C-alpha cells in the first residue's frame, strides 16, 4: 500500500494537467463560465503556439521565495443552443430581413400608393408569427429562470464548488439564450408596428396633400384662356381616338364579335328599360290595399329596390364585358365606357331606391315617413344629382383617356361640382317652401306620420355642404369640392341603405320573435321559453344587428377619407386579442372569456345549490336553518371559486388584487362601511347560527318567522304575512328574542277565575284534563295548574301547558280556552252566560248577590243578576262593575 500511494498521486497530477490543457485549448476565456459568450476559437492561441515561460530570476539572498501562482480555474464549456431554439432564431432572422426590406421601400423620396400597399400587405401575418413566438418562449423562459433560482444566489468568488459553478453557468446560459431570443422577437414586433404607423402616416399625408392642393380658380380669366388654347389639341386627341376605334372595328369587327356586341347592347337596353315595368309588377304594391302592415311595406320596398337595380347592373356589366372581350375599343377608352355604363347603373340604383322608400303615388306603401310632395321632390332631386355625377365622371374619364390638358380637367371637375351644389341648393329651397306652406295653414297644427319633411338640423347640414362645394372651386380648391361631392353621394346612399336595413331588421327579426307570430309560437312550444324571454331575445338581437350595421356603415363612409380597412381590422384585432398599456395587457377576448368562465361557474353553482336544497338536504335529518346555511355557504364558495378561475385566466395575481383591495379600503372605510358591516354580520349569522331559518324571533316591534338569511340582510315574515327586511348588523349588535333558540317547544299560559264557593282541587283537575286531552300538548312535562290568588268573589288559577311546536301556540291556546270554559261552565264553576242572562261584574259580598236575586225574583224581573269580581282583577274593571251594580240597584228599587 505505501508503494501505491506515490503512483496514484502522480497519475492524478497527470490527469489534472491534461484536463486543464484541453479546457484551455477549447475555451481559453474563463469568463464563459459567468454566462458571457466565449471568444471565437480562431482568436484563441493554441496550446502548441504558447510561448515558453521566461525563466524566473533567482531570489536574492535572504529574500523569501515567491509564492506559487494559484492554478487557473478550468473554464466551463458553453452549453450549445438547442435545435428548436436555433430554428426559432433562423425564423427571426428571416423576419428581420423582410422587415428591413419593407422599411427601405417606404423611406424613399418617391413612394407611391402602390409601394405603400405592397409594404403593408402581409405585415399582420408577420406580427402574428412574432406574437406566437413570444408566447411560446414565455413558459420556457419562466422554467429556465425557475431552475436557475433553485441553485440559490451566487456566492462570493471561490466559495462555490466546481460542479455547482458549472451547473450555474449552464443554467445562466440557457436563460440568456431564451431571453435573448424572446427580446429579439419583441424588438421585431415593435419594428413591425412602427412600419404600420409609418405607412398610415404617409397615406394620411398624401391624402391631405392631394385634397387641399390648390389649383386655378374657376373665376380666373387665365384658366379659361388656357382652356380655350388647349381645346384644339384635345379635339385632335378625340379624333385620334375615334380613328383608333374605327381601325379596331375594321381589324376585329368579325361577325362573331359584332354579334356578341349587339347581343350585349340589346340585352342591356331590354334589362334597363324593362325594369321600369318589371319592378312595379313584381313589387306587389297593390293600390287597392290602403293599410298594409309594416312587414309588407318593407318586403315590397326590398323587391322594388332589387328588381330596379340588378337588371341595370347586369346590363352595364354585359356591355363592358363585350367591349373588353371583342377588343373593339382601344384600351385607353375602356375606363370611359366603364364610367358611362357604370353611371347608367348608378342612376338606376338611385331611381330604384327612391321608388322603394318614397313610393311616389302610393302613400300607403311608403316606408319613409314623408309627405307626398316631399317624396316627389326628394326623388327628383336624387335622380338629377345622379345624372350630373354620371356626366361629370364620364367627362373626367374621357379627359384621362385623351390625356387632356390640366386646365380642361380642372374646369370639368369644377363645373360638375358647382352643378351638383346648385341642384342641392334648389332642392333645399323647395323643401323650405313646402314647410312654409304647411306652417301657414289655419287652425291647430296636427303632426302626422306622413306629413314630416326634412328636419332643421339636416337641412342646415345640406346648406352648409352646398355652400362649401360651390365656393371651393371658386377659390381654387377643385379637388376638395369634387371629393366632397363624391363623399356626399357615397355617404347619402349608405345612410339610406343603413336606415332601410335597420328598419327591416327591427321589423323582421324583432317582429318575428315577439307577439303571436308563428316563429314565436314555435319557439315557445319547442324550447319552453316564455314570451317575455323571447321579447328580450328580440331586443338583444335587433340591438346587436344595429350595432353591426352601424359599424359597417361607419367603416365604409370613412374608407375614402384615408382610413384603410386593413388598419381598422388590425386595430380591432389588437383590441380584441390584447394591447399593452405600460406593463398591463388588456385583451377584450380574455375579458369576454373570463366573464364566460364566471357565468358558467355561477350557473354550475346555482345548479349545485338547487340540488342541495331540493334533493340532498331534504333527505337528511338536518333542520331547516342548517340546510339554509349549507346551501348559502355552498353558493358563496362556488362564486368565489368561479371568480378565482376568471381572475387566474385574466392573469390577475394576488399581488395585483391586494393593491386593488388596498385602494378600495379607503372607500370601504367611508362609503361602504355599513355594507361591509352587514356582510360580516351575515357571515357570523351563517357561522354561529344564533338565528336560523324557521325560528320565531322578536326584533323591536316586529315578531315573525325567519324565512331567509343572506350575507346582507335577513327576511322575517310576520303573522300578518308581511315581509320585514332586517340588516344583519341589527341582529348581531341589537337585542333579539328567539323563542325557539334551544328547541321548538312552546308554552301556553291561560288565566282562569273560578267562583270562590267551588272546590279548587276539582277545578284544577278539570283544567289539567282539558289540557292533557289536546293532541298538541306535550305529555312530558305534563300540564299543571298554579293556584295564584284567593280573591273575594273568585279564585285565580293559571293553566300551564307545553306545546310541541311554538308555531302552534295560538291555536292550542284558543282550543284550551274553549274546552276549559265549556268544562267549567257545565260544572257551574263559573257563571253561565245564557241568552236571557246578564253578567254584571261587581266587587262585593256573596249575600248581596243572593238578596238582589230574591228581589228580582219577587218583582218578576226577566234577568238574573250575577255578581262576581273582574277576571283580571283590574281597578278599572272594578269601577265599571260598581257603576253597573249601582245602576241595577236603583232600577230594582224603583221597580219595587
Amino acid at each position: 500500500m505505501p508503494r501505491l500511494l506515490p503512483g496514484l498521486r502522480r497519475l492524478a497530477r497527470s490527469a489534472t494537467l491534461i484536463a486543464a490543457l484541453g479546457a484551455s485549448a477549447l475555451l481559453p476565456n474563463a469568463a464563459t463560465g459567468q454566462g458571457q459568450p466565449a471568444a471565437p476559437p480562431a482568436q484563441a492561441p493554441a496550446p502548441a503556439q504558447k510561448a515558453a515561460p521566461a525563466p524566473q530570476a533567482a531570489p536574492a539572498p535572504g529574500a523569501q521565495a515567491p509564492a506559487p501562482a494559484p492554478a487557473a480555474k478550468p473554464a466551463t464549456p458553453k452549453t450549445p443552443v438547442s435545435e428548436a431554439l436555433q430554428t426559432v432564431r433562423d425564423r427571426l432572422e428571416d423576419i428581420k430581413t423582410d422587415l428591413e426590406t419593407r422599411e427601405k421601400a417606404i423611406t424613399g423620396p418617391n413612394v407611391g400608393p402602390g409601394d405603400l400597399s405592397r409594404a403593408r400587405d402581409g405585415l399582420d401575418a408577420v406580427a402574428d408569427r412574432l406574437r406566437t413566438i413570444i408566447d411560446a418562449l414565455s413558459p420556457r423562459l419562466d422554467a429556465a429562470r425557475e431552475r436557475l433560482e433553485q441553485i440559490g444566489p451566487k456566492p462570493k468568488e471561490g466559495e462555490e464548488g466546481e460542479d455547482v459553478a458549472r451547473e450555474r453557468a449552464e443554467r445562466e446560459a440557457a436563460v440568456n439564450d431564451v431571453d435573448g431570443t424572446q427580446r429579439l422577437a419583441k424588438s421585431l414586433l415593435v419594428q413591425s408596428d412602427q412600419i404600420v404607423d409609418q405607412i398610415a402616416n404617409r397615406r394620411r399625408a398624401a391624402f391631405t396633400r392631394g385634397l387641399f392642393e390648390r389649383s386655378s380658380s374657376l373665376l380666373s380669366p387665365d384658366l379659361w384662356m388656357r382652356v380655350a388654347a388647349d381645346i384644339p389639341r384635345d379635339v385632335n386627341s378625340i379624333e385620334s381616338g375615334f380613328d383608333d376605334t374605327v381601325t379596331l372595328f375594321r381589324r376585329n369587327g368579325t361577325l362573331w364579335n359584332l354579334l356578341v356586341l349587339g347581343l350585349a347592347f340589346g340585352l342591356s337596353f331590354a334589362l334597363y328599360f324593362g325594369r321600369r315595368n318589371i319592378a312595379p309588377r313584381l313589387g306587389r304594391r297593390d293600390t287597392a290595399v290602403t293599410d298594409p302592415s309594416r312587414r309588407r311595406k318593407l318586403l315590397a320596398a326590398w323587391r322594388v329596390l332589387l328588381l330596379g337595380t340588378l337588371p341595370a347592373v347586369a346590363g352595364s356589366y354585359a356591355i363592358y364585358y363585350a367591349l373588353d372581350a371583342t377588343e373593339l375599343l382601344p384600351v385607353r377608352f375602356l375606363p370611359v365606357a366603364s364610367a358611362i355604363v357604370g353611371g347608367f347603373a348608378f342612376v338606376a340604383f338611385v331611381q330604384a331606391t327612391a321608388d322603394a322608400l318614397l313610393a311616389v303615388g302610393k302613400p300607403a306603401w311608403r316606408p319613409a315617413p314623408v309627405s307626398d310632395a316631399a317624396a316627389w321632390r326628394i326623388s327628383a332631386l336624387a335622380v338629377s344629382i345622379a345624372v350630373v355625377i354620371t356626366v361629370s365622371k364620364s367627362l373626367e374619364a374621357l379627359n384621362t383617356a385623351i390625356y387632356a390638358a390640366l386646365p380642361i380637367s380642372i374646369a370639368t371637375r369644377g363645373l360638375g361640382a358647382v352643378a351638383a351644389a346648385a341642384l342641392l341648393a334648389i332642392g333645399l329651397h323647395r323643401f323650405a317652401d313646402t314647410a312654409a306652406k304647411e306652417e301657414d295653414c289655419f287652425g291647430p297644427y296636427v303632426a302626422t306620420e306622413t306629413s314630416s319633411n326634412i328636419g332643421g338640423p339636416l337641412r342646415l347640414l345640406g346648406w352648409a355642404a352646398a355652400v362649401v362645394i360651390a365656393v371651393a372651386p371658386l377659390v381654387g380648391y377643385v379637388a376638395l369640392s369634387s371629393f366632397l361631392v363624391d363623399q356626399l353621394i357615397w355617404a347619402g346612399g349608405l345612410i339610406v341603405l343603413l336606415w332601410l336595413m335597420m328598419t327591416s331588421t327591427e321589423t323582421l327579426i324583432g317582429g318575428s320573435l315577439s307577439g303571436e307570430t308563428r316563429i314565436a309560437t314555435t319557439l315557445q312550444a319547442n324550447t319552453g321559453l316564455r314570451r317575455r324571454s323571447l321579447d328580450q331575445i328580440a331586443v338583444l338581437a335587433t340591438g346587436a344587428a344595429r350595432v353591426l350595421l352601424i359599424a359597417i356603415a361607419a367603416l365604409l363612409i370613412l374608407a375614402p377619407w384615408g382610413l384603410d380597412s386593413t388598419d381598422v381590422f388590425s386595430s380591432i384585432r389588437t383590441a380584441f386579442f390584447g394591447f399593452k398599456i405600460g406593463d398591463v395587457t388588456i385583451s377584450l377576448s380574455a375579458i369576454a372569456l373570463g366573464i364566460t368562465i364566471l357565468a358558467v361557474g355561477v350557473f354550475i353553482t346555482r345548479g349545485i345549490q338547487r340540488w342541495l336544497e331540493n334533493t340532498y338536504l331534504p333527505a337528511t335529518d338536518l333542520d331547516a336553518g342548517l340546510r339554509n346555511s349549507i346551501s348559502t355557504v355552498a353558493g358563496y364558495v362556488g362564486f368565489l371559486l368561479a371568480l378565482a378561475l376568471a381572475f387566474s385566466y385574466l392573469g390577475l395575481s394576488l399581488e395585483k388584487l391586494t393593491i386593488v383591495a388596498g385602494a378600495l379600503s379607503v372607500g370601504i372605510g367611508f362609503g361602504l362601511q355599513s355594507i361591509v358591516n352587514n356582510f360580516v354580520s351575515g357571515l357570523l349569522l351563517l357561522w354561529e347560527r344564533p338565528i336560523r331559518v324557521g325560528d320565531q324571533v322578536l326584533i323591536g316591534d316586529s315578531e315573525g318567522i325567519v324565512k331567509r338569511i343572506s350575507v346582507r340582510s335577513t327576511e322575517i315574515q310576520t303573522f300578518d304575512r308581511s315581509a320585514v327586511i332586517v340588516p344583519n348588523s341589527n341582529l348581531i349588535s341589537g337585542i333579539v328574542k328567539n323563542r325557539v333558540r334551544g328547541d321548538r317547544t312552546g308554552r301556553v299560559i291561560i288565566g282562569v277565575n273560578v267562583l270562590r264557593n267551588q272546590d279548587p282541587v276539582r277545578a284544577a283537575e278539570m283544567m289539567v284534563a282539558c289540557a292533557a286531552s289536546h293532541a298538541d300538548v306535550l305529555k312530558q312535562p305534563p300540564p299543571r295548574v298554579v293556584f295564584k290568588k284567593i280573591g273575594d268573589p273568585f279564585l285565580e288559577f293559571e293553566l300551564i301547558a307545553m306545546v310541541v311546536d311554538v308555531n302552534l301556540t295560538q291555536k292550542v291556546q284558543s282550543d284550551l280556552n274553549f274546552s276549559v270554559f265549556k268544562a267549567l261552565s257545565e260544572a257551574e264553576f263559573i257563571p253561565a252566560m245564557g241568552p236571557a242572562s246578564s253578567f254584571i261584574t261587581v266587587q262585593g259580598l256573596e249575600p248581596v248577590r243572593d238578596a238582589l236575586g230574591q228581589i228580582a225574583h219577587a218583582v218578576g224581573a226577566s234577568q238574573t243578576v250575577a255578581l262576581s269580581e273582574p277576571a283580571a282583577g283590574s281597578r278599572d274593571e272594578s269601577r265599571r262593575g260598581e257603576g253597573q251594580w249601582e245602576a241595577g240597584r236603583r232600577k230594582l228599587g224603583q221597580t219595587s
Side-chain angles (χ1 to χ4, degrees):
M1 190 69 180
R3 296 179 181 177
L4 293 176
L5 290 176
L8 292 175
R9 292 192 184 97
R10 287 194 298 271
L11 182 61
R13 285 196 298 269
S14 301
T16 303
L17 181 60
I18 293 173
L21 290 176
S24 62
L26 294 175
L27 295 172
N29 291 334
T32 56
Q34 305 300 327
Q36 301 295 333
Q43 298 177 1
Q49 298 175 353
K50 288 183 179 180
Q56 297 179 355
Q64 288 185 347
K73 186 177 181 180
T76 305
K78 183 180 179 181
T79 305
V81 179
S82 64
E83 183 178 356
L85 194 60
Q86 187 61 41
T87 304
V88 173
R89 288 185 176 181
D90 295 339
R91 292 172 57 188
L92 292 178
E93 290 296 331
D94 296 338
I95 293 175
K96 182 179 179 181
T97 303
D98 182 29
L99 293 178
E100 290 176 353
T101 304
R102 293 173 185 267
E103 196 168 9
K104 290 179 181 178
I106 64 174
T107 54
N110 299 322
V111 179
D115 298 331
L116 296 177
S117 299
R118 285 189 295 270
R120 183 64 177 83
D121 293 339
L123 270 179
D124 294 333
V126 173
D128 291 339
R129 289 200 299 269
L130 290 173
R131 292 189 185 94
T132 303
I133 292 173
I134 293 172
D135 294 339
L137 291 177
S138 294
R140 187 171 178 178
L141 179 61
D142 294 339
R145 287 175 176 170
E146 186 177 358
R147 287 194 297 269
L148 179 60
E149 291 175 357
Q150 294 298 324
I151 302 179
K154 186 176 180 180
K156 295 181 180 180
E157 186 71 24
E159 296 182 0
E160 191 173 29
E162 182 178 354
D163 296 337
V164 177
R166 185 183 300 107
E167 184 68 20
R168 182 188 300 277
E170 292 177 357
R171 296 188 179 184
E172 287 179 350
V175 170
N176 293 334
D177 292 338
V178 180
D179 185 54
T181 306
Q182 191 183 50
R183 289 177 182 272
L184 177 59
K186 289 181 179 180
S187 65
L188 293 178
L189 181 61
V190 173
Q191 185 179 1
S192 68
D193 295 338
Q194 292 175 350
I195 294 175
V196 171
D197 294 338
Q198 291 177 12
I199 294 173
N201 294 333
R202 280 185 170 271
R203 282 176 173 172
R204 283 192 290 268
F207 170 77
T208 305
R209 185 171 56 253
L211 188 63
F212 292 98
E213 183 179 2
R214 190 169 184 179
S215 59
S216 299
S217 170
L218 291 182
L219 300 178
S220 174
D222 182 64
L223 174 66
W224 297 107
M225 292 176 61
R226 286 185 293 166
V227 168
D230 292 334
I231 284 179
R233 186 182 68 86
D234 291 342
V235 170
N236 292 332
S237 298
I238 294 175
E239 293 176 353
S240 176
F242 180 76
D243 294 338
D244 294 341
T245 304
V246 172
T247 302
L248 287 177
F249 261 86
R250 290 175 179 175
R251 186 176 60 189
N252 299 330
T254 61
L255 180 62
W256 172 254
N257 288 342
L258 294 177
L259 181 61
V260 170
L261 186 60
L263 289 175
F265 272 95
L267 178 63
S268 176
F269 280 108
L271 290 175
Y272 191 84
F273 293 101
R275 68 183 179 84
R276 302 295 299 173
N277 296 324
I278 295 174
R281 292 180 181 179
L282 298 181
R284 301 175 186 175
R285 287 178 169 179
D286 190 1
T287 55
V289 180
T290 58
D291 190 17
S293 63
R294 186 72 172 173
R295 182 188 183 92
R296 292 184 62 186
K297 287 183 184 180
L298 292 173
L299 291 177
W302 278 109
R303 285 193 295 267
V304 171
L305 176 60
L306 295 178
L307 292 174
T309 303
L310 294 181
V313 173
S316 300
Y317 179 76
I319 293 177
Y320 180 79
Y321 180 78
L323 291 174
D324 187 21
T326 58
E327 297 181 356
L328 296 175
L329 193 68
V331 177
R332 59 193 178 100
F333 283 103
L334 281 177
V336 181
S338 175
I340 295 174
V341 296
F344 278 102
F346 175 66
V347 173
F349 166 74
V350 173
Q351 287 179 341
T353 304
D355 292 341
L357 296 180
L358 302 176
V360 178
K362 299 178 181 179
W365 292 93
R366 185 177 300 140
V370 295
S371 61
D372 295 337
W376 183 86
R377 293 177 186 274
I378 293 175
S379 179
L381 176 63
V383 174
S384 302
I385 293 178
V387 171
V388 171
I389 295 299
T390 300
V391 173
S392 177
K393 294 300 179 184
S394 301
L395 291 177
E396 290 180 14
L398 180 61
N399 291 335
T400 304
I402 66 175
Y403 306 105
L406 181 61
I408 293 181
S409 298
I410 293 174
T412 304
R413 298 179 67 183
L415 290 177
V418 171
L423 287 175
L424 181 59
I426 292 172
L428 293 173
H429 177 68
R430 289 187 177 182
F431 284 125
D433 292 342
T434 304
K437 291 179 181 179
E438 290 183 356
E439 291 177 359
D440 291 339
C441 64
F442 296 98
Y445 174 73
V446 179
T448 59
E449 183 181 358
T450 60
S451 65
S452 60
N453 293 280
I454 296 180
L458 188 60
R459 192 183 302 143
L460 290 177
L461 182 62
W463 276 112
V467 170
V468 172
I469 293 172
V471 172
L474 302 180
V475 295
Y477 293 99
V478 177
L480 176 62
S481 177
S482 179
F483 176 78
L484 290 178
V485 171
D486 295 342
Q487 297 316 303
L488 183 64
I489 301 301
W490 174 251
L494 288 176
I495 291 173
V496 169
L497 290 179
L498 174 64
W499 180 86
L500 181 59
M501 289 182 179
M502 291 174 60
T503 307
S504 303
T505 300
E506 183 178 357
T507 302
L508 299 179
I509 297 179
S512 299
L513 294 179
S514 59
E516 297 293 340
T517 60
R518 183 180 302 176
I519 297 177
T521 305
T522 304
L523 288 176
Q524 288 179 6
N526 295 332
T527 61
L529 294 173
R530 298 177 300 173
R531 183 178 301 176
R532 185 176 182 84
S533 300
L534 285 178
D535 293 341
Q536 294 175 356
I537 293 174
V539 172
L540 291 176
T542 54
R546 281 172 173 265
V547 172
L548 181 61
L549 291 174
I550 292 174
I552 294 174
L555 290 178
L556 293 176
I557 291 174
L558 295 177
W561 294 81
L563 183 65
D564 192 9
S565 60
T566 307
D567 297 335
V568 173
F569 290 119
S570 177
S571 301
I572 293 175
R573 183 173 55 182
T574 302
F576 188 74
F577 290 104
F579 59 94
K580 282 193 173 183
I581 300 179
D583 294 334
V584 179
T585 301
I586 300 176
S587 174
L588 297 181
S589 61
I591 294 174
L593 289 176
I595 294 175
T596 304
I597 292 173
L598 180 61
V600 171
V602 171
F603 178 77
I604 295 174
T605 302
R606 293 292 181 265
I608 294 175
Q609 272 189 297
R610 285 192 295 268
W611 176 76
L612 288 174
E613 293 174 355
N614 302 328
T615 305
Y616 177 71
L617 292 178
T620 62
D621 296 332
L622 302 176
D623 59 275
L626 185 56
R627 292 201 299 265
N628 177 77
S629 299
I630 293 174
S631 175
T632 305
V633 171
Y636 285 108
V637 169
F639 177 77
L640 291 177
L641 289 177
L643 193 64
L645 289 176
F647 281 162
S648 64
Y649 181 81
L650 293 175
L652 297 177
S653 60
L654 291 178
E655 292 120 7
K656 297 178 181 178
L657 294 179
T658 304
I659 295 174
V660 175
L664 291 177
S665 61
V666 178
I668 291 175
F670 290 97
L672 304 178
Q673 183 178 4
S674 60
I675 296 177
V676 174
N677 187 13
N678 291 325
F679 181 81
V680 175
S681 300
L683 296 179
L684 292 177
L685 287 177
L686 293 174
W687 179 256
E688 296 181 358
R689 302 178 66 230
I691 298 174
R692 299 164 295 183
V693 173
D695 288 358
Q696 182 177 344
V697 296
L698 175 63
I699 304 174
D701 297 335
S702 301
E703 182 175 4
I705 307 300
V706 178
K707 289 298 182 182
R708 185 177 61 87
I709 300 176
S710 63
V711 294
R712 192 191 66 83
S713 61
T714 297
E715 179 182 351
I716 299 174
Q717 185 178 12
T718 60
F719 298 115
D720 59 353
R721 311 296 294 178
S722 300
V724 179
I725 308 300
V726 181
N728 290 331
S729 58
N730 295 354
L731 301 178
I732 293 296
S733 59
I735 299 176
V736 181
K737 184 177 182 180
N738 192 343
R739 300 188 184 275
V740 293
R741 180 66 181 93
D743 52 24
R744 296 197 60 81
T745 58
R747 187 173 66 169
V748 175
I749 302 177
I750 300 175
V752 180
N753 292 334
V754 179
L755 294 175
R756 183 173 178 176
N757 59 352
Q758 301 298 331
D759 185 6
V761 177
R762 186 164 175 263
E765 292 175 352
M766 294 174 64
M767 288 186 282
V768 170
C770 292
S773 62
H774 199 283
D776 295 328
V777 175
L778 292 176
K779 307 302 179 183
Q780 292 294 332
R784 70 181 189 274
V785 175
V786 178
F787 195 169
K788 294 194 67 176
K789 183 179 180 181
I790 302 176
D792 288 340
F794 291 105
L795 305 177
E796 295 183 8
F797 297 89
E798 277 189 355
L799 174 61
I800 302 174
M802 304 302 295
V803 187
V804 294
D805 197 322
V806 70
N807 295 330
L808 302 174
T809 302
Q810 299 288 339
K811 174 180 176 299
V812 172
Q813 186 174 7
S814 177
D815 295 342
L816 291 181
N817 279 329
F818 279 110
S819 60
V820 169
F821 180 80
K822 181 179 179 182
L824 295 180
S825 297
E826 291 176 354
E828 297 183 355
F829 274 47
I830 58 176
M833 297 287 292
S837 63
S838 175
F839 186 80
I840 302 176
T841 303
V842 297
Q843 190 176 26
L845 299 175
E846 185 176 355
V848 178
R849 184 200 64 176
D850 297 336
L852 290 176
Q854 293 175 1
I855 294 172
H857 179 70
V859 298
S862 60
Q863 296 182 345
T864 301
V865 180
L867 301 178
S868 63
E869 190 173 345
S874 62
R875 187 171 302 173
D876 295 337
E877 292 290 339
S878 300
R879 292 196 185 99
R880 286 198 296 270
E882 293 174 359
Q884 293 173 359
W885 180 81
E886 290 291 339
R889 185 179 62 80
R890 288 195 298 270
K891 182 177 180 181
L892 291 175
Q894 293 173 1
T895 304
S896 60

